[in-house]
Amino acid sequence: MKALNLSPASLFHLQQLATMVKQKTGVRYAMSDPTDTLHLLRYCCRCEDAQISEIYYQFSGELEQEQRDHLTGYGLLTSDSWHASVAYRSIC
């Protein structure tokens, strides 16, 4: 996976994801490693934990179209998660 050029807001949410996953599972993902980032996002996009899902939706809402397309190609972003993130931003 190539490294994504993320905005400060999306980096913030990605770090929140890494912290939340570590607290809940004990597994640490290195954000400096694109493969670890891919594994973190794969875990988070399939996770049924409400807190992790909420942060994942916030993260996905901060992505630009090219980044969304890239993650969709890896199966890490579905139209459901994108629509949920848009809905989340509209109520905030």
Side-chain angles (χ1 to χ4, degrees), residues 43-78:
Y43 174 81
C44 292
C45 78
R46 295 184 176 120
C47 185
E48 294 183 12
D49 182 275
Q51 290 177 312
I52 291 173
S53 292
E54 181 179 331
I55 297 169
Y56 185 76
Y57 293 143
Q58 291 171 358
F59 166 77
S60 65
E62 296 294 336
L63 298 173
E64 295 176 9
Q65 186 60 46
E66 179 183 336
Q67 295 163 328
R68 282 194 296 274
D69 293 343
H70 182 74
L71 292 178
T72 299
Y74 279 96
L76 301 176
L77 190 64
T78 63

Side-chain angles (χ1 to χ4, degrees), residues 35-47:
T35 302
D36 257 13
T37 302
L38 176 69
H39 292 298
L40 172 66
L41 292 174
R42 183 167 288 130
Y43 174 81
C44 292
C45 78
R46 295 184 176 120
C47 185

Side-chain angles (χ1 to χ4, degrees), residues 1 3 8 10 13 17-19 25-26 31-32 37 39 51 54 58-59 65 71 73 78 80-81 83:
M1 174 177 157
S10 57
H13 294 302
L17 281 171
T19 300
T25 67
M31 296 298 89
S32 59
T37 302
H39 292 298
Q51 290 177 312
E54 181 179 331
Q58 291 171 358
F59 166 77
Q65 186 60 46
L71 292 178
T78 63
D80 292 341
S81 62
H83 292 303

Side-chain angles (χ1 to χ4, degrees), residues 4-25:
L4 294 170
N5 291 326
L6 299 175
S7 70
S10 57
L11 282 173
F12 171 75
H13 294 302
L14 186 61
Q15 186 59 46
Q16 280 188 314
L17 281 171
T19 300
M20 183 65 64
V21 169
K22 184 177 179 201
Q23 288 173 353
K24 292 184 177 271
T25 67

Side-chain angles (χ1 to χ4, degrees), residues 58 61-62 68 82 84-92:
Q58 291 171 358
E62 296 294 336
R68 282 194 296 274
W82 169 241
S85 68
V86 170
Y88 176 82
R89 285 201 297 183
S90 67
I91 62 171
C92 290

